[in-house]
Amino acid sequence: IFFLLFLMLTAALACSISYNPDQKEESGPESDLPIPDINQGIVGDTGAGEEAPVSENEVLAAPVGLNEGLSSLNSYTYTLQIISNGPSIQDRSETKILTTKDNSDSNMTRIEMISSSAEDPEVDTSVSTNYRVGNINCTIDDSDEAEAEKEDYSPAAKEMLNILGGLWDVHFKTGDPVFIGNEVVNGINCKHFTFNVGGLGKTSGAEVTQSTGEYWSAVDGNYLVKYDVVLETRNAPEGSIDAEVLHSEIHYLLYDINSAASIVLPSLCD
């Protein structure tokens, strides 16, 4: 389930950073883009913001889809982390995605996947980075010896990808949100909500030990800025040898919006 979720999120988010011919272009300085630490996306920078009058309809409105929200920005960086652990200690799956898009619609996406299982407890790690600059698409496999696969799209092929990318979107579940207040996250004025993830343990009978969800949506544009969910169930009393503990997390963070960073192809993609 979590692998399928990762594939859906990755595909949809990748579509959101493809070239949009109707988007306003602003050229930034031509310099190497510093790649942020992918773990930065878990903590964020949240502080109290000024309270502003918000109508009930505005408060309860669900955030727009990820693609729709990101397409309204000239540039940005986001991190997405998906964690799935259990039922045994060795059963572990973690995916980290970091994506940056600049003002010229070039983008870079780094994907790191870590996994192990009770049958194969040795930890397996794979890392790849994809660059899309102009018509060039280049993917570098960083797992062992760095190798690059490069493709030069024709204008017709690129146009087709753009059209396909606009046909669907991704919406994170927000349940029945409770408005907490207005806050500032990474310089963006946001509405902060908490919500409950319904259905956990309802059919399985497992004890729900953690079920927390909260998100921050931009006041201007109602796009998702930060999203955190932590879920955990146990099917036997704590300390029991037969206890199966399932633990899952999703963390999303958007930052560096409308910055002047510029993405260039690395030498391996020449």
mmCIF file of all heavy atoms in Angstrom, residues 3 6-7 93-97 111-115 123-128 143:
data_model
loop_
_atom_site.group_PDB
_atom_site.id
_atom_site.type_symbol
_atom_site.label_atom_id
_atom_site.label_comp_id
_atom_site.label_asym_id
_atom_site.label_seq_id
_atom_site.Cartn_x
_atom_site.Cartn_y
_atom_site.Cartn_z
ATOM 1 N N PHE A 3 4.007 1.482 -0.898
ATOM 2 C CA PHE A 3 4.766 1.600 -2.141
ATOM 3 C C PHE A 3 3.885 2.182 -3.238
ATOM 4 O O PHE A 3 4.316 3.021 -4.027
ATOM 5 C CB PHE A 3 5.295 0.228 -2.556
ATOM 6 C CG PHE A 3 6.127 0.270 -3.808
ATOM 7 C CD1 PHE A 3 7.360 0.914 -3.827
ATOM 8 C CD2 PHE A 3 5.674 -0.313 -4.977
ATOM 9 C CE1 PHE A 3 8.112 0.967 -4.982
ATOM 10 C CE2 PHE A 3 6.417 -0.263 -6.126
ATOM 11 C CZ PHE A 3 7.647 0.370 -6.134
ATOM 12 N N PHE A 6 3.536 5.810 -2.639
ATOM 13 C CA PHE A 6 4.756 6.511 -3.062
ATOM 14 C C PHE A 6 4.777 6.710 -4.569
ATOM 15 O O PHE A 6 5.099 7.782 -5.069
ATOM 16 C CB PHE A 6 5.977 5.724 -2.619
ATOM 17 C CG PHE A 6 7.223 6.070 -3.370
ATOM 18 C CD1 PHE A 6 7.822 7.299 -3.205
ATOM 19 C CD2 PHE A 6 7.773 5.166 -4.265
ATOM 20 C CE1 PHE A 6 8.961 7.619 -3.907
ATOM 21 C CE2 PHE A 6 8.898 5.482 -4.973
ATOM 22 C CZ PHE A 6 9.497 6.712 -4.794
ATOM 23 N N LEU A 7 4.396 5.650 -5.330
ATOM 24 C CA LEU A 7 4.394 5.763 -6.791
ATOM 25 C C LEU A 7 3.409 6.827 -7.255
ATOM 26 O O LEU A 7 3.710 7.629 -8.149
ATOM 27 C CB LEU A 7 4.049 4.416 -7.420
ATOM 28 C CG LEU A 7 5.098 3.305 -7.282
ATOM 29 C CD1 LEU A 7 4.585 2.020 -7.920
ATOM 30 C CD2 LEU A 7 6.407 3.718 -7.933
ATOM 31 N N SER A 93 10.559 0.523 5.749
ATOM 32 C CA SER A 93 10.553 1.151 4.434
ATOM 33 C C SER A 93 10.487 2.664 4.622
ATOM 34 O O SER A 93 9.649 3.168 5.378
ATOM 35 C CB SER A 93 9.344 0.689 3.607
ATOM 36 O OG SER A 93 9.261 1.404 2.393
ATOM 37 N N GLU A 94 11.402 3.363 3.966
ATOM 38 C CA GLU A 94 11.434 4.819 4.076
ATOM 39 C C GLU A 94 11.805 5.426 2.728
ATOM 40 O O GLU A 94 12.762 4.996 2.091
ATOM 41 C CB GLU A 94 12.427 5.259 5.142
ATOM 42 C CG GLU A 94 12.471 6.772 5.346
ATOM 43 C CD GLU A 94 13.375 7.185 6.494
ATOM 44 O OE1 GLU A 94 13.940 6.281 7.166
ATOM 45 O OE2 GLU A 94 13.536 8.402 6.716
ATOM 46 N N THR A 95 11.022 6.400 2.320
ATOM 47 C CA THR A 95 11.269 7.105 1.062
ATOM 48 C C THR A 95 11.372 8.598 1.338
ATOM 49 O O THR A 95 10.524 9.166 2.018
ATOM 50 C CB THR A 95 10.136 6.851 0.048
ATOM 51 O OG1 THR A 95 10.061 5.466 -0.248
ATOM 52 C CG2 THR A 95 10.399 7.631 -1.237
ATOM 53 N N LYS A 96 12.443 9.215 0.818
ATOM 54 C CA LYS A 96 12.651 10.654 0.968
ATOM 55 C C LYS A 96 12.739 11.278 -0.425
ATOM 56 O O LYS A 96 13.514 10.826 -1.265
ATOM 57 C CB LYS A 96 13.936 10.944 1.742
ATOM 58 C CG LYS A 96 13.987 10.348 3.141
ATOM 59 C CD LYS A 96 15.353 10.622 3.778
ATOM 60 C CE LYS A 96 15.468 9.973 5.145
ATOM 61 N NZ LYS A 96 16.810 10.209 5.748
ATOM 62 N N ILE A 97 11.965 12.298 -0.639
ATOM 63 C CA ILE A 97 11.956 13.002 -1.926
ATOM 64 C C ILE A 97 12.236 14.481 -1.682
ATOM 65 O O ILE A 97 11.629 15.092 -0.802
ATOM 66 C CB ILE A 97 10.601 12.849 -2.641
ATOM 67 C CG1 ILE A 97 10.254 11.380 -2.854
ATOM 68 C CG2 ILE A 97 10.613 13.598 -3.979
ATOM 69 C CD1 ILE A 97 8.856 11.162 -3.398
ATOM 70 N N ILE A 111 15.614 11.276 -5.002
ATOM 71 C CA ILE A 111 14.810 10.244 -4.346
ATOM 72 C C ILE A 111 15.741 9.255 -3.652
ATOM 73 O O ILE A 111 16.628 8.681 -4.291
ATOM 74 C CB ILE A 111 13.906 9.502 -5.347
ATOM 75 C CG1 ILE A 111 12.958 10.477 -6.033
ATOM 76 C CG2 ILE A 111 13.116 8.404 -4.631
ATOM 77 C CD1 ILE A 111 12.100 9.836 -7.106
ATOM 78 N N GLU A 112 15.533 9.068 -2.368
ATOM 79 C CA GLU A 112 16.293 8.094 -1.593
ATOM 80 C C GLU A 112 15.324 7.077 -1.006
ATOM 81 O O GLU A 112 14.337 7.451 -0.358
ATOM 82 C CB GLU A 112 17.064 8.786 -0.469
ATOM 83 C CG GLU A 112 17.862 7.821 0.401
ATOM 84 C CD GLU A 112 18.606 8.524 1.528
ATOM 85 O OE1 GLU A 112 18.577 9.778 1.541
ATOM 86 O OE2 GLU A 112 19.198 7.839 2.378
ATOM 87 N N MET A 113 15.588 5.791 -1.226
ATOM 88 C CA MET A 113 14.726 4.735 -0.729
ATOM 89 C C MET A 113 15.542 3.781 0.143
ATOM 90 O O MET A 113 16.608 3.314 -0.272
ATOM 91 C CB MET A 113 14.068 3.980 -1.882
ATOM 92 C CG MET A 113 13.220 4.856 -2.780
ATOM 93 S SD MET A 113 12.405 3.946 -4.118
ATOM 94 C CE MET A 113 11.234 2.973 -3.174
ATOM 95 N N ILE A 114 15.034 3.502 1.341
ATOM 96 C CA ILE A 114 15.689 2.615 2.298
ATOM 97 C C ILE A 114 14.700 1.525 2.681
ATOM 98 O O ILE A 114 13.542 1.819 3.017
ATOM 99 C CB ILE A 114 16.134 3.383 3.551
ATOM 100 C CG1 ILE A 114 17.062 4.543 3.168
ATOM 101 C CG2 ILE A 114 16.820 2.450 4.544
ATOM 102 C CD1 ILE A 114 17.357 5.473 4.327
ATOM 103 N N SER A 115 15.120 0.259 2.642
ATOM 104 C CA SER A 115 14.193 -0.820 2.969
ATOM 105 C C SER A 115 14.933 -2.027 3.531
ATOM 106 O O SER A 115 16.112 -2.256 3.241
ATOM 107 C CB SER A 115 13.398 -1.243 1.732
ATOM 108 O OG SER A 115 14.258 -1.770 0.740
ATOM 109 N N VAL A 123 19.944 -3.915 5.144
ATOM 110 C CA VAL A 123 19.343 -2.668 4.674
ATOM 111 C C VAL A 123 19.767 -2.384 3.233
ATOM 112 O O VAL A 123 20.954 -2.419 2.902
ATOM 113 C CB VAL A 123 19.747 -1.486 5.579
ATOM 114 C CG1 VAL A 123 19.185 -0.176 5.034
ATOM 115 C CG2 VAL A 123 19.261 -1.720 6.998
ATOM 116 N N ASP A 124 18.781 -2.131 2.391
ATOM 117 C CA ASP A 124 19.032 -1.802 0.986
ATOM 118 C C ASP A 124 18.719 -0.325 0.768
ATOM 119 O O ASP A 124 17.644 0.154 1.170
ATOM 120 C CB ASP A 124 18.163 -2.665 0.072
ATOM 121 C CG ASP A 124 18.386 -2.341 -1.392
ATOM 122 O OD1 ASP A 124 19.509 -2.542 -1.889
ATOM 123 O OD2 ASP A 124 17.423 -1.875 -2.045
ATOM 124 N N THR A 125 19.653 0.386 0.154
ATOM 125 C CA THR A 125 19.486 1.822 -0.086
ATOM 126 C C THR A 125 19.717 2.148 -1.551
ATOM 127 O O THR A 125 20.665 1.658 -2.163
ATOM 128 C CB THR A 125 20.485 2.640 0.765
ATOM 129 O OG1 THR A 125 20.276 2.349 2.145
ATOM 130 C CG2 THR A 125 20.288 4.134 0.544
ATOM 131 N N SER A 126 18.830 2.950 -2.102
ATOM 132 C CA SER A 126 19.008 3.423 -3.482
ATOM 133 C C SER A 126 18.780 4.931 -3.522
ATOM 134 O O SER A 126 17.890 5.453 -2.850
ATOM 135 C CB SER A 126 18.031 2.727 -4.432
ATOM 136 O OG SER A 126 16.688 3.059 -4.117
ATOM 137 N N VAL A 127 19.615 5.614 -4.309
ATOM 138 C CA VAL A 127 19.537 7.068 -4.424
ATOM 139 C C VAL A 127 19.651 7.445 -5.893
ATOM 140 O O VAL A 127 20.547 6.969 -6.594
ATOM 141 C CB VAL A 127 20.661 7.763 -3.628
ATOM 142 C CG1 VAL A 127 20.527 9.282 -3.729
ATOM 143 C CG2 VAL A 127 20.649 7.322 -2.176
ATOM 144 N N SER A 128 18.748 8.287 -6.351
ATOM 145 C CA SER A 128 18.818 8.780 -7.730
ATOM 146 C C SER A 128 18.406 10.244 -7.753
ATOM 147 O O SER A 128 17.611 10.698 -6.925
ATOM 148 C CB SER A 128 17.919 7.963 -8.657
ATOM 149 O OG SER A 128 16.556 8.118 -8.299
ATOM 150 N N SER A 143 23.542 5.305 -6.329
ATOM 151 C CA SER A 143 23.606 4.187 -5.400
ATOM 152 C C SER A 143 25.016 3.607 -5.312
ATOM 153 O O SER A 143 25.543 3.373 -4.230
ATOM 154 C CB SER A 143 22.617 3.097 -5.822
ATOM 155 O OG SER A 143 21.300 3.610 -5.831
#
